[in-house]
């Protein structure tokens, strides 16, 4: 600093001279740095300023940070697109990242990390965190980019995994989505063989299977009813046959 507060910045080894400006005659590049006050906003692009007079204020006008990029994510099972996947030795999840506020034609990178909701820590596979990165150049300010995670989830049956995403440009993070309670970016890993019970209305559910206890009393009664029905039909036929025989008998036979 110079001899007083607010005097500016001095360069070189000369003693401060408050009667002059704080910068030497030259052209300087002004570059905004990331801080809490401009988080989630687009930084002002670097620009040049030339100092060529003493005690002169360089008027740069009003500089504002526009609202920066935003992202949201939806994680699903790559096999069927739902929010459940079998906890097998090879699990593949797709995280569809929607974005807004990007600069078309500029390269961005999405860096994803899969989190275990129960522990709040990254999912481990082969002793390493499960991560995935994708570089892309958007054609429009808004769109969708998919990040794919493939990992060994055989020991994660019953766990919920959550996809965290960081959007970066030129090595600087410009947007994040890291909500551990967001159901949209959560996939439940089910144990192998765990299936939903068949519907009560399903025809197959009423068929007896090997090992089922059969309703023997009902079966015996049904068979008994069928036998009685068959006997009644036979008796009716027999009676009908007897009557027909009587009608066919000749008068001579009666006279004899």
């Amino acid at each position: 600093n110079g001899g007083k507060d607010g005097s500016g910045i001095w360069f070189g080894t000369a003693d401060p001279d408050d009667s002059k400006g704080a910068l030497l005659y030259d052209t300087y590049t002004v570059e905004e740095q990331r801080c809490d006050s401009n988080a989630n906003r687009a930084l002002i692009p670097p620009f040049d300023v030339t100092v060529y007079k003493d005690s002169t204020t360089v008027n740069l006008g009003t500089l504002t940070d526009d609202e920066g990029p935003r992202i949201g994510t939806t994680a699903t099972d790559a096999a069927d697109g739902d929010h459940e996947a079998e906890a097998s030795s090879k699990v593949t999840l797709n995280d569809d990242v929607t974005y807004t506020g990007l600069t078309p034609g500029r390269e961005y990178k999405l860096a994803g990390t899969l989190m275990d909701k129960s522990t709040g820590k990254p999912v481990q596979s082969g002793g390493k965190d499960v991560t995935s990165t994708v570089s892309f150049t958007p054609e429009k300010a808004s769109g969708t980019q998919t990040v794919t995670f493939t990992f060994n989830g055989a020991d994660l049956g019953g766990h919920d995994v959550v996809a965290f995403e960081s959007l970066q440009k030129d090595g600087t993070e410009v947007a994040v989505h890291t909500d551990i309670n967001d159901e949209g970016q959560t996939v439940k890993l089910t144990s192998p063989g765990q299936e939903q019970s068949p519907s009560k209305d399903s025809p197959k559910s009423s068929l007896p299977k090997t090992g089922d206890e059969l309703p023997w009393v009902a079966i015996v009664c049904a068979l008994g009813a069928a036998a009685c029905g068959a006997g009644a039909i036979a008796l009716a036929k027999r009676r009908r046959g007897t009557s027909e025989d009587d009608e066919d008998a000749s008068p001579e036979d009666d006279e004899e």
Side-chain angles (χ1 to χ4, degrees):
N1 287 329
K4 301 178 182 179
D5 290 341
S7 295
I9 301 173
W10 288 92
F11 294 91
T13 59
D15 293 334
D17 184 351
D18 291 337
S19 65
K20 298 181 179 181
L23 298 175
L24 299 175
Y25 297 160
D26 206 342
T27 297
Y28 299 87
T29 298
V30 179
E31 183 177 354
E32 183 181 14
Q33 300 298 304
R34 180 67 67 186
C35 61
D36 292 340
S37 61
N38 60 23
N40 297 325
R41 290 191 169 272
L43 298 181
I44 298 171
F47 59 92
D48 293 339
V49 174
T50 301
V51 177
Y52 56 92
K53 289 184 179 180
D54 292 342
S55 303
T56 299
T57 300
V58 179
N59 187 358
L60 301 177
T62 301
L63 303 177
T64 59
D65 292 323
D66 296 330
E67 185 174 305
R70 293 180 179 272
I71 60 174
T73 78
T74 302
T76 57
D77 178 13
D80 54 18
D82 63 11
H83 289 282
E84 288 190 4
E86 184 177 293
S88 63
S89 59
K90 184 178 180 181
V91 180
T92 301
L93 307 181
N94 286 335
D95 192 26
D96 293 331
V97 182
T98 58
Y99 55 81
T100 59
L102 273 59
T103 303
R106 296 290 299 272
E107 185 178 71
Y108 291 82
K109 182 175 76 171
L110 281 166
T113 302
L114 211 57
M115 306 293 291
D116 188 330
K117 186 175 182 178
S118 62
T119 64
K121 298 180 179 180
V123 174
Q124 294 275 308
S125 179
K128 298 180 180 180
D129 294 348
V130 178
T131 62
S132 181
T133 60
V134 174
S135 295
F136 67 103
T137 302
E139 296 181 357
K140 298 180 179 180
S142 302
T144 303
Q145 179 64 46
T146 301
V147 180
T148 300
F149 299 90
T150 301
F151 60 99
N152 184 350
D155 298 328
L156 295 174
H159 288 240
D160 290 345
V161 295
V162 186
F164 280 12
E165 296 289 352
S166 168
L167 178 66
Q168 303 170 8
K169 183 178 75 171
D170 300 329
T172 301
E173 184 177 79
V174 295
V176 295
H177 194 202
T178 56
D179 184 357
I180 196 72
N181 295 312
D182 188 337
E183 294 182 359
Q185 59 189 118
T186 302
V187 175
K188 183 178 185 62
L189 299 181
T190 60
S191 300
Q194 181 179 347
E195 297 180 356
Q196 295 183 350
S197 300
S199 171
K200 294 181 180 179
D201 298 330
S202 172
K204 294 182 178 180
S205 62
S206 62
L207 296 178
K209 301 185 295 294
T210 302
D212 287 350
E213 294 185 2
L214 298 177
W216 293 110
V217 174
I219 293 175
V220 170
C221 290
L223 293 176
C228 292
I233 293 172
L235 180 59
K237 287 185 175 180
R238 183 176 180 184
R239 289 180 176 177
R240 187 181 303 113
T242 303
S243 300
E244 292 175 352
D245 292 342
D246 292 341
E247 293 177 357
D248 294 339
S250 61
E252 291 80 3
D253 294 336
D254 291 339
E255 291 177 359
E256 292 177 358

